[in-house]
Amino acid sequence: MEQTLKITNVLADPTRYYIYQHIVNNHGDVSVQEIADSFNIHPNVARLHLSKLEDIDMLTSISRKTGKGGRPSRLYRLSDKVIQLHFPYRNYQLLAKIAVQSMMTLGEQGKQALYETGKVFGEELINQQLALNSTSIDRLAFAEKVNMLKNAATIAGLSPEIQASEEENKISFRIFNCPFKEVTEVEPGTICSMHTSFLKGMFEALFENVTIVEIENMMSNCAACSYQASVLT
């Protein structure tokens, strides 16, 4: 209960919450001075906000030499720890692990069912976006489809970064947050394959003849999961 109160008190400050969101969207390390400049606050105030976020394990920090002499600079980044608040208590991670391991007892048939279900959920995520915008897929230009893909991925908590080339019909897709990470650590190959199916479902809801190739995987100590998609509009 004490930790719960500490977390809610820290996040009750709007500036502190927006600083955290800034770091989420930054996809990398930030310095005290960068936060001070971005939010037009004194560096000491920025340091206080960052320290409080680190105290509740939402951020972590490292010291790095500047090469200019003097004290090392302290850089802040997102913590790998998961902070969850449930009232009353729920444990959906445990439920997910039970469900996945139950599917694994079915062998290849269970894996295939998991992949196909993941793809369906990816398609549904895009279809929800289409319905919200009252838009027909036939009326969307390439750039609009890419933007919808990014919005859907953001809603899914993937913290995406997307670069697209309409001339080459290619989309580079990077994910900086895996919403299935804790379960993935139990069944890495299976969950990563399911997640790829999930992404393919998203792409195929917008584009034709989609081919997705995984370039990097954060479970292999990469900064992000990276994919290269070839599509036809």
Side-chain angles (χ1 to χ4, degrees), residues 10-57:
V10 168
L11 294 179
D13 186 291
T15 299
R16 198 171 296 140
Y17 178 80
Y18 289 127
I19 286 174
Y20 177 76
Q21 287 299 318
H22 173 85
I23 297 172
V24 169
N25 296 328
N26 187 70
H27 304 319
D29 299 340
V30 298
S31 66
V32 171
Q33 190 61 54
E34 179 184 340
I35 294 299
D37 293 342
S38 298
F39 289 86
N40 195 27
I41 55 180
H42 192 277
N44 288 342
V45 177
R47 185 177 292 106
L48 176 63
H49 284 311
L50 292 166
S51 296
K52 286 186 175 293
L53 287 167
E54 186 175 21
D55 286 343
I56 60 170
D57 293 326

Side-chain angles (χ1 to χ4, degrees), residues 87-122:
F87 301 96
Y89 177 75
R90 298 288 187 268
N91 193 338
Y92 297 114
Q93 285 185 22
L94 177 59
L95 176 62
K97 290 178 182 179
I98 292 171
V100 169
Q101 290 183 7
S102 296
M103 295 294 288
M104 294 307 94
T105 63
L106 300 177
E108 289 302 318
Q109 185 177 2
K111 289 182 181 181
Q112 190 60 36
L114 188 63
Y115 303 154
E116 292 175 359
T117 304
K119 184 177 178 181
V120 169
F121 272 83

Side-chain angles (χ1 to χ4, degrees), residues 111-173:
K111 289 182 181 181
Q112 190 60 36
L114 188 63
Y115 303 154
E116 292 175 359
T117 304
K119 184 177 178 181
V120 169
F121 272 83
E123 292 172 351
E124 288 183 356
L125 187 61
I126 294 297
N127 289 332
Q128 289 170 7
Q129 289 294 297
L130 289 168
L132 284 173
N133 291 277
S134 301
T135 305
S136 169
I137 189 67
D138 299 329
R139 297 182 179 180
L140 292 178
F142 181 86
E144 292 174 316
K145 290 181 179 181
V146 171
N147 188 57
M148 182 166 289
L149 181 68
K150 183 175 182 179
N151 289 340
T154 300
I155 290 172
L158 303 182
S159 190
E161 183 179 275
I162 299 177
Q163 295 180 335
S165 171
E166 184 172 4
E167 292 76 16
E168 298 180 357
N169 288 325
K170 292 186 181 297
I171 300 174
S172 296
F173 192 90

Side-chain angles (χ1 to χ4, degrees), residues 163-165 168-174 203 210-216 226-231:
Q163 295 180 335
S165 171
E168 298 180 357
N169 288 325
K170 292 186 181 297
I171 300 174
S172 296
F173 192 90
R174 301 184 75 197
F203 275 85
V210 177
T211 301
I212 298 179
V213 178
E214 182 183 275
I215 308 299
E216 294 179 314
S226 302
Y227 304 87
Q228 183 76 44
S230 299
V231 302

